[in-house]
Amino acid sequence: MGVNTELVGALKLHRMPTQRDRDRSLLGHLQRSMQANPLAPKSVRRRHKKMLPDGARAVLLDEVNSLRDRLVVEWLSDGGFRAGEMCGLHLCDLHLREEAACGECRGPHAHVCHRDGLVNGARAKTKWEWELRDGVIHGGLIKRVSPAMVHAYFDYLTLEYPRGASHGMLLVQQHGPGRGLPWAPEGARKMLKRAGRRAGLGLIKPHMFRHTWASAVLEAADGNLAIVRDAGGWASTEVVDEIYAHVDVNDPVFQNALLTTWGELR
């Protein structure tokens, strides 16, 4: 209407179209930009519902065929690692004893370090500062390690890890022409997919372990978002809140609250 031309100019912004934008519009696959209103409310991320089936960890441990694969299940279950983080781990990143030389964590832990150009294509999503000082890794994203993870590591290292490996990475291929070379994240995904189908669990993905782990940590921490944020390496508590801070509809507390509201609980 020409009342406030300055505001009109500020609102005439453009952004890259999302997949949802393309799906909604005719010939959306041809769109290169979309009008954007900076005053529009931000959309809320969809809460992720893809969790592991109950008891999946124990079932998968019975189905996997090697100590390396057992290590993957244990570390995904107890550590909340992303596939790229775990396949990018080096042996020097693992400080699996009390009072390690780095002095950054009293208990056993791992340093997740962002490295570009790894031969297996693995890469940590987080880019925390890290350095190798006097032969010891410092910095990175520090993740605590459970006793089950430590046991799985030493079983794998002493019985399956190739003695001639010079690359220093934790997970290696065990078969084929690439035997002994670093294991790619896609290999871990395929292994879990096969094990899940053999176990009758359906499609199992690495990130399902992370979602299940984060929900369990949040519940155990009485809803403390900061603990989950730092343990999992998220950028903010807002992300944790939007994805994981939801009520279980089967929780007795939730049910009792509704019954009280309905006047059914005296």
Side-chain angles (χ1 to χ4, degrees):
M1 298 173 64
V3 176
N4 191 335
T5 57
E6 183 178 352
L7 178 61
V8 171
L11 295 179
K12 286 185 176 179
L13 302 177
H14 289 78
R15 59 177 173 81
M16 295 292 290
T18 64
Q19 186 60 50
R20 181 179 298 179
D21 295 326
R22 298 182 189 278
D23 294 340
R24 284 179 175 177
S25 59
L26 183 65
L27 301 179
H29 62 287
L30 299 178
Q31 293 190 2
R32 295 294 179 266
S33 65
M34 297 285 294
Q35 289 189 351
N37 182 354
L39 301 183
K42 295 182 179 179
S43 60
V44 178
R45 297 182 181 89
R46 180 177 65 87
R47 287 171 176 162
H48 209 296
K49 298 181 180 179
K50 293 186 177 180
M51 316 286 278
L52 285 175
D54 291 339
R57 174 180 182 169
V59 176
L60 288 171
L61 287 174
D62 289 336
E63 286 293 335
V64 294
N65 299 318
S66 69
L67 294 174
R68 179 204 61 187
D69 298 347
R70 289 184 64 86
L71 180 145
V72 169
V73 174
E74 296 281 17
W75 281 55
L76 289 176
S77 298
D78 282 356
F81 287 86
R82 298 178 176 94
E85 292 175 344
M86 190 174 60
C87 291
L89 286 173
H90 287 60
L91 297 177
C92 62
D93 299 335
L94 310 180
H95 297 171
L96 304 184
R97 61 180 179 85
E98 301 287 340
E99 304 294 347
C102 68
E104 297 177 80
C105 182
R106 287 193 294 269
H109 60 279
H111 294 257
V112 177
C113 304
H114 178 89
R115 297 178 174 95
D116 289 316
L118 294 179
V119 294
N120 61 348
R123 184 172 58 179
K125 184 177 181 180
T126 54
K127 297 184 179 181
W128 295 51
E129 293 291 333
W130 66 276
E131 63 175 338
L132 181 64
R133 190 189 325 142
D134 298 328
V136 178
I137 291 289
H138 294 264
L141 171 62
I142 297 177
K143 297 181 75 69
R144 293 293 300 271
V145 174
S146 71
M149 295 167 66
V150 175
H151 290 314
Y153 165 80
F154 280 110
D155 287 344
Y156 163 64
L157 202 69
T158 55
L159 298 176
E160 284 187 357
Y161 195 80
R163 294 292 176 265
S166 59
H167 47 71
M169 298 189 69
L170 173 62
L171 299 176
V172 300
Q173 301 180 48
Q174 294 183 325
H175 305 286
R179 187 175 185 274
L181 296 178
W183 201 33
E186 185 60 25
R189 295 187 183 97
K190 290 181 178 179
M191 181 276 292
L192 291 171
K193 182 178 179 181
R194 292 191 299 267
R197 288 181 174 173
R198 289 196 306 268
L201 299 175
L203 180 61
I204 299 294
K205 297 182 178 181
H207 226 62
M208 297 170 73
F209 289 87
R210 183 169 170 83
H211 292 304
T212 303
W213 172 85
S215 297
V217 173
L218 184 62
E219 182 179 354
D222 293 328
N224 191 320
L225 300 175
I227 291 178
V228 183
R229 177 200 62 195
D230 293 344
W234 280 278
S236 68
T237 56
E238 181 182 355
V239 177
V240 179
D241 185 31
E242 291 178 354
I243 299 177
Y244 301 106
H246 57 277
V247 177
D248 183 0
V249 295
N250 297 314
D251 191 321
V253 177
F254 181 81
Q255 182 178 358
N256 290 341
L258 287 180
L259 291 176
T260 302
T261 303
W262 298 336
E264 298 292 332
L265 191 64
R266 299 291 193 279

